[in-house]
Amino acid sequence: MHDLRQADVDIITLGQYMQPTPEHLPVQEYIEPAQFERLKEIGLDMGFKYVESGPLVRSSYHAEKHLF
């Protein structure tokens, strides 16, 4: 996140990789929702204008709400 802020990124999404089929890479670790909440707090404290963080979040997750 530090590198993204240094590059003036304002919005970040953090989600959990889910293996779509057995042919894709396996999940290495399941992240608990509380850890996603903590990452959101850290991101906001670092100066991101918006952080969407959760196990089911994807890069387009509610994106239109946070562009302006």
Side-chain angles (χ1 to χ4, degrees):
M1 285 192 286
H2 181 264
D3 291 345
L4 292 171
R5 281 302 304 138
Q6 292 292 88
D8 292 325
V9 172
D10 292 326
I11 298 172
I12 188 171
T13 58
L14 304 170
Q16 172 73 55
Y17 170 74
M18 304 300 279
Q19 185 181 23
T21 70
E23 290 76 35
H24 287 80
L25 293 172
V27 173
Q28 296 295 311
E29 176 184 4
Y30 288 100
I31 308 300
E32 295 291 326
Q35 188 171 351
F36 280 108
E37 282 298 316
R38 180 68 184 127
L39 290 169
K40 180 176 183 171
E41 292 172 13
I42 291 169
L44 292 171
D45 288 345
M46 291 176 72
F48 286 98
K49 292 180 182 175
Y50 185 78
V51 179
E52 188 71 58
S53 182
L56 300 178
V57 170
R58 300 295 172 259
S59 59
S60 60
Y61 194 81
H62 298 161
E64 73 283 356
K65 294 188 332 187
H66 310 291
L67 291 177
F68 303 100

